[in-house]
Amino acid sequence: MGCGNSKPPTTATSVPHETVPNYPDLTVHNNWMQRCLTGEIYKKLKDLKTQSGYTLDGCIQTGVDNPGHPFILTVGMVAGDEESYKTFADLFDPVISGRHGGYGKDKKHKTDLNFENLRGGDNLDPNYVLSSRVRTGRSIRGLALPPWCSRAERRDVEKILKDALSTFDGEFQGKYYPLKGMTEEEQQQLIDDRFLFDKPVSPLLTCAGMARDWPDARGIWHNDDKTFLVWINEEDHSRVISMEKGGNMKRVFQRFCTGLKKVEDSIKSQGYEFMWNPHLGYVLTCPSNLGTGLRAGVHVKLPKMSVHEKFDEVLEKMSLQKRGTGGVDTAAEG
């Protein structure tokens, strides 16, 4: 789970799988979990459980089952609930620091979602920029995260978010489409719009328990203009997305900030809140997405770039990742 730069500094430690009972064999692995997990940390944490019952072995299983990735240095661990980050902090803290470039365990996270502070971004070159997108994830406090949640908790997440989104009007008025029971016409339209997410195929996700009971309690909501979307119960409780064709990132970000606040205010009116703390910021399944959890990107047209002999070299110099059309571990199309 999670992504990083392709060639970060090597800080690998010894792997005492022959001397520490139940310690995983990580001798051929290369992810942040493997780099940070020592025998002493494992012995200290292996018998601990969060209140919901999640364990250290649950956190690291995806990193154990996936030794490495051809394009990215993965995180190699996930959280099963909000408490995981505290109970297993002796491992999460160095992983987070490594993944986020030295973010220490005593640091306070700063989030700025005031769209008025964004300068520029309203006229990206239309000759290259096909579409603009901003997304984040949010988790609902008191419910386990997707790697560990029960069926009932997953359905609770769906109901809370569905009820919250049903109150929207104006620019944000829309409709919820559950993956289970969707009509063929609805499914085809969502595919055509490239909104539909399918059952995870990446072993990074499946080994973390993301695909359990698929497609129960998963779904997609979008506004009538198809510029504001919410994915429910994919990798996180929710993924909130603002997007549109063209290069007006400033307008996309403004819609994102406004819509995200509406989601938060609506779930608060039901007595719920997002997972957040001063150190980690917004809490999500993968440590790579902690903090504001925001990713902004544009879909650019660069003909034949992917087949150029220096494509990988260019990506490395720009700290970019090579992904398929549908995301990590999917094929490139077109």
Side-chain angles (χ1 to χ4, degrees):
M1 284 298 299
C3 306
N5 294 331
S6 57
K7 293 184 179 179
T10 299
T11 56
T13 59
S14 60
V15 186
H17 62 277
E18 296 180 352
T19 58
V20 179
N22 211 46
Y23 190 100
D25 183 353
L26 303 175
T27 51
V28 299
H29 290 57
N30 184 32
N31 54 48
W32 279 114
M33 178 275 293
Q34 170 267 330
R35 289 168 178 244
C36 298
L37 183 62
T38 65
E40 290 304 312
I41 290 176
Y42 187 83
K43 285 189 288 185
K44 180 179 179 180
L45 303 180
K46 67 181 180 66
D47 295 322
L48 300 181
K49 293 183 179 181
T50 64
Q51 289 187 351
S52 73
Y54 205 57
T55 64
L56 174 66
D57 283 310
C59 291
I60 67 174
Q61 194 62 53
T62 184
V64 174
D65 291 343
N66 296 280
H69 193 279
F71 306 135
I72 53 181
L73 179 73
T74 59
V75 171
M77 65 185 303
V78 296
D81 51 25
E82 185 173 12
E83 190 184 343
S84 296
Y85 285 105
K86 181 177 180 180
T87 302
F88 309 112
D90 285 345
L91 180 57
F92 271 113
D93 284 347
V95 167
I96 291 168
S97 179
R99 172 59 182 82
H100 291 279
Y103 189 78
K105 62 182 180 181
D106 297 322
K107 284 192 173 182
K108 305 296 183 184
H109 185 267
K110 296 180 180 179
T111 293
D112 183 358
L113 290 175
N114 182 352
F115 61 83
E116 294 181 352
N117 292 337
L118 182 65
R119 298 180 180 179
D122 56 348
N123 59 349
L124 303 179
D125 193 336
N127 291 316
Y128 299 100
V129 178
L130 302 179
S131 62
S132 304
R133 177 177 182 264
V134 178
R135 69 90 163 154
T136 192
R138 289 292 184 265
S139 308
I140 298 173
R141 178 159 281 157
L143 298 170
L145 296 168
W148 182 237
C149 66
S150 66
R151 297 181 187 93
E153 286 177 307
R154 191 183 300 115
R155 292 165 186 165
D156 285 345
V157 169
E158 181 186 42
K159 184 179 187 307
I160 293 166
L161 289 168
K162 186 170 64 172
D163 289 349
L165 295 164
S166 70
T167 65
F168 288 8
D169 56 15
E171 176 190 0
F172 293 96
Q173 182 173 326
K175 180 180 178 180
Y176 178 63
Y177 300 86
L179 298 194
K180 188 176 181 180
M182 185 182 298
T183 68
E184 290 185 9
E185 291 77 10
E186 290 173 337
Q187 183 181 40
Q188 187 58 53
Q189 186 61 59
L190 289 169
I191 292 172
D192 293 342
D193 292 332
R194 294 189 178 275
F195 291 172
L196 188 67
F197 65 87
D198 204 351
K199 184 175 182 178
V201 295
S202 169
L204 300 175
L205 300 175
T206 57
C207 292
M210 303 293 189
R212 293 175 300 127
D213 307 304
W214 199 273
D216 188 49
R218 277 87 169 188
I220 300 165
W221 178 96
H222 68 72
N223 68 343
D224 294 339
D225 293 335
K226 300 182 179 180
T227 56
F228 190 75
L229 295 76
V230 179
W231 290 0
I232 296 178
N233 285 322
E234 190 226 14
E235 181 180 332
D236 289 297
H237 285 170
S238 66
R239 284 283 174 90
V240 179
I241 305 164
S242 175
M243 60 189 296
E244 66 178 61
K245 293 181 179 179
N248 195 331
M249 179 62 79
K250 189 169 187 177
R251 184 167 58 207
V252 171
F253 185 62
Q254 178 174 345
R255 184 189 308 112
F256 169 83
C257 296
T258 303
L260 181 60
K261 187 176 188 308
K262 288 175 69 70
V263 176
E264 183 168 19
D265 289 346
S266 191
I267 70 161
K268 281 184 176 179
S269 71
Q270 300 180 55
Y272 299 97
E273 62 182 348
F274 289 144
M275 297 182 189
W276 179 89
N277 66 61
H279 170 54
L280 297 177
Y282 289 97
V283 174
L284 296 167
T285 298
C286 180
S288 68
N289 291 323
L290 293 169
T292 306
L294 185 150
R295 288 188 182 180
V298 292
H299 183 198
V300 296
K301 178 176 63 176
L302 299 172
K304 300 192 181 298
M305 184 65 187
S306 63
V307 296
H308 194 281
E309 61 181 10
K310 293 189 176 182
F311 181 49
D312 290 338
E313 181 182 335
V314 170
L315 293 181
E316 183 175 340
K317 287 182 177 179
M318 299 181 70
S319 297
L320 297 175
Q321 301 161 3
K322 187 192 318 183
R323 294 192 177 192
T325 305
V328 66
D329 288 331
T330 63
E333 300 174 4

